[in-house]
Amino acid sequence: MNISKNETAVMDVLNVMDALHIGPHTFNSRLILGTGKFSSTDVMLRAVRASKAELVTVALRRFNREQLEDDLFGPLSQLEGITLMPNTSGASTAAEAVKAAHISRELSGSPFIKVEIHPNPQHLMPDPIETFEAAKILASEGFLVMPYISADPVLAKRLEEVGCASVMPLGAAIGSGRGLSTAGMLEIIIRESTIPVIVDAGLRAPSEAARAMEMGCSAVLVNSAIAAADNPEEMATAFRDGTSAGRRAYMAGLMAESGEAVPTSPLTSFLGESR
Amino acid sequence: MKDVPAWLVDEGSTTEMRRMLSPDSPVDIETLAARARAITLRRFGRTMSLYAPLYLSNHCPSGCAYCGFASDRTTLRRRLEEDEIRREITAMKKLGIRDILLLTGERTVAAGFDYLRRAVEIAAEEMPRVSVETFPMSVEEYRELASCGCTGVTIYQETYDRKRYEELHRWGPKKDFLHRLDTPERALEAGIKTVGIGALLGLSEPVEEALHLYRHARHLAKTWWRAGISISFPRMRPEQGGWQPPFTVSDQQLARMILAFRIGLPDMDLALSTRERASFRDGMAGLAVTRMSIASKTTVGGYDEGETGERGQFDISDERSAPEFCQALRDRGIEPVFKNWDGAYNGPATQILPTGGLKETVLCP
């Protein structure tokens, strides 16, 4: 198929018009990558490049400036066109997350902070109370706060009210690969939110990223599904395509699902003819 | 005599574990390995957290029949002084270590609480993660350690068979089975974030031992929901001309145990030390184990001045250097991770209450 230069230009304009805005920042990619769990830094960097992600998250606990072989931050900061979003994974209280955010900003210079507070180091579910407290403080200090939360529509609005730049509800538990288990709650969050809604955690397959985007999510964050794949680079590409296909479908307007069955005898015949 | 707590003997929830652990299990070990590997990969990815032990002192008043540092052994006794601790830690940092486990014997005048607290302070200046494997302490003492930067307490029950426990711990403060059993909970009450538990495999019947260890882990996870829990599988080896463990745990049995724990406790850290041979460690790395010790010395000190010819607490089987071991992991597609924690998450102890409350306690001197 031939695509004229004009058509390509139109598509580029559409892409730009459909950019993801978080605070004052604009991203063309709607796939965000997590950087832990990879078999090597090199594999991780290749996956990031293949994904075409422009925003990636890295845990403060994996910053190791004294020992470059063990450091994730240094190599990521060398990548062109990538904005780094440090995260507070390891924090179990608001106080610890705030401290970690301050250190992360100092080390990375990034205005973004992904607030992750999981008091239970086994299942890693986010603590809504501590997350709210930390988000309130950090937003007031000018951070672009990206809180990782359970798919709770009320908490999402409360975080929006205190000035968060986005909300990041989970699709399923971290590393569970259970996909969009929280779909019903995510639909409410998306419908009500005035800030970007980014589905974070639980996605296993690119089709699930597509589904999240079709539902109207602003972006998805993927880590385990790519890092644990046999070929992370290829899987990153597949997630890039899934995310972008889902977004296009959402923008194009999905055909309505087939409606409920129409009963054979009318339900409203008692209303009579007059209007 | 006070009874053991009900959770330690409750049979209710261990049927499936028993089925997987039993040597004549209907579940073959390949099936267990495949299930365990899939869980580990999803939850922990392709990484391995590394740590190393530093023996501070081998003074010990206890008479544990199986231990190279028992008070009736003729081992030369010594402890590291402050400047030696600093030198050891500098040497360990050069190897890449950022997660350290400090060890002593039972409490003595030479190596008591004040000595240990000072060692934790020194270590915490350089290492983001400092744990101790020493004598059982009081809640107040653990609270003080936490405020000085101690994040973890490792305490093995050695054996959950009470009768055998009392026989093997012939004299000394370690004789009290229940006091030792309660120790992880005293540490958690004091705001220590992670506890390490384990049984010295070979001291009693292995399947029963593993089931007790499993119940202990489940109990801690349920009662102390904020606790990080790490489980170790130290296996006794027959000591040449020395003490012989009453049970031999084969590679097959040990592997079955670790795999079953991964399936039964899908998101807990499972640790394997350099007691085990290189080939066994490498094989288990991709399947279930998420924490490993590296380049370990079991003599007092040993990282700074090199080998001294002294006998350690036990013999090491995996003697590879840090770079050799890391390369072996990389060859298997696993990234060695030295720093997997940050000092930002240490500091003033936050008291963790079993029912969920959090109380900030500031104690640092």
Side-chain angles (χ1 to χ4, degrees), chain A residues 37 61 63 70 96, chain B residues 43 46 193 338-340:
Chain A
K37 299 186 172 181
R61 60 197 168 86
F63 282 51
D70 195 53
E96 288 169 7
Chain B
R43 173 60 180 77
R46 302 181 190 272
K193 296 197 174 207
F338 286 96
K339 181 176 173 290
N340 201 12

Side-chain angles (χ1 to χ4, degrees), chain A residues 36-41 60-64 66-67 69-70 72 87-93 95-97 99-100 103 119-124 127 130 174-177 224 227-230 232, chain B residues 39 41-47 93 95-98 126 193-194 221 224-230 267-269 330 333-348 350 358 360:
Chain A
K37 299 186 172 181
F38 282 89
S39 61
S40 73
T41 306
L60 172 63
R61 60 197 168 86
R62 297 293 307 274
F63 282 51
N64 191 351
E66 295 172 336
Q67 193 181 351
E69 232 187 30
D70 195 53
L72 290 188
N87 72 63
T88 65
S89 161
S92 58
T93 66
E96 288 169 7
K99 197 162 131 199
I103 296 170
N120 180 317
Q122 270 79 242
H123 60 48
L124 304 176
D127 184 325
E130 299 293 321
I174 291 182
S176 70
S224 306
D230 290 340
Chain B
I39 294 168
L41 196 53
R42 271 204 309 271
R43 173 60 180 77
F44 296 93
R46 302 181 190 272
T47 60
K93 272 192 85 173
L95 297 175
I97 310 298
R98 293 294 182 278
E126 300 292 331
K193 296 197 174 207
T194 301
W224 303 86
W225 67 274
R226 285 186 164 87
I229 300 164
S230 171
D267 45 21
M268 269 184 206
D269 263 321
R330 287 194 190 99
I334 297 167
E335 169 138 85
V337 177
F338 286 96
K339 181 176 173 290
N340 201 12
W341 191 248
D342 197 273
Y345 310 126
N346 300 341
T350 308
L358 261 183
E360 281 240 317

Side-chain angles (χ1 to χ4, degrees), chain B residues 166-202:
Chain B
E166 280 158 8
E167 286 162 15
L168 290 168
H169 301 96
R170 297 166 299 172
W171 58 80
K174 199 166 161 181
K175 250 193 130 31
D176 188 342
F177 177 88
L178 291 178
H179 183 69
R180 194 169 182 88
L181 191 63
D182 282 344
T183 304
E185 297 184 61
R186 286 197 302 281
L188 291 169
E189 190 181 336
I192 294 286
K193 296 197 174 207
T194 301
V195 290
I197 58 171
L200 210 39
L201 302 170

Side-chain angles (χ1 to χ4, degrees), chain A residues 171-188:
Chain A
I174 291 182
S176 70
R178 295 204 173 165
L180 295 169
S181 303
T182 59
M185 293 296 128
L186 290 173
E187 278 167 11
I188 304 175

